[in-house]
Amino acid sequence: MVDGDTDIQLHRAANCPEMIIWKLLYEAGAKQGEMRALSLNDTQLEKIRAGFDQWPRALQGIFAAKLAKSLIAADAPDTAAFSLRRSQSAPEQRSGERAMIAANLANKTESASAAIKLLAPIVASDSETAPEAAIALTDLILGQDQNISSSQKAALDTYREEYEGTELEEGLIRARLRTAIQENDFAQAIDLMRAYSKLVRPSKVNLILDEIGQAIVSLTSDASFLKEAVSLPPADFNQIAQPLQDQIGLRMKELGFSDLAAQLGALRNDPAEAVTS
């Protein structure tokens, strides 16, 4: 009988709109990568809308963005958009947070261009979410194979200085790194990587080096390729994935520079030199 009572209580909790909403809000507060996407049926989504619609305006403003974030993860974009619309005129907990989630929703349901249009004003607004918007905007623009404007790069640099020592610093450096790699500014990319390496585990640094190696291999100008390949510090070259090392060496040989190719990663067996390079 006890087991039966427990089942009834669990069933009621699962179908209670307040319980569903708070479960979603709990998931929205999880760290990136730890958030679970819940499966919601039409009845539950209706109850979520009805429950949220009855909340006081202040609560709607505080929790709308987090609720929408979790609903997007649950593949319920219409209900996510509903929570954002209903809270539009209510004060929010962090300025620009709802706009950030709206941009995320636009990227999933409309296009990257629509999301970019929503993010650009947030970056310029200097709101609490502006540095996060700057990171997201960079990812979207680079994902479209477009160039970051000088003002957007300046925003990343400014926010990086402002948020040094916070959780946002890693993302800001990573975004700036991506712009340098896309622009084939490998010297700056290496400098930024040094700062990045102080904040992240070595495997993340290796991924950056792989991106740099791939960008060098992809240079269409043979002269530029040779210049960047021989300029890459040996210690860094040795950390690049082996297939990329092989591609760089092979291309140099094909261009008639076998001696230079043989010197790539020359400090492989000299750890002391690698540390000081």
Side-chain angles (χ1 to χ4, degrees), residues 112-113 116 139-146 182:
S113 297
I116 288 171
D139 289 341
L140 284 172
I141 292 175
L142 295 182
Q144 295 291 297
D145 290 326
Q146 299 175 13
Q182 192 198 45

Side-chain angles (χ1 to χ4, degrees), residues 37 68 70 77 100 111 135 141 158 182 206 216 225 236 251 264 272 274:
S70 197
M100 275 285 295
S111 66
I135 295 169
I141 292 175
T158 299
Q182 192 198 45
N206 290 343
I216 290 174
F225 163 75
D236 295 330
R251 185 173 173 186
L264 291 173

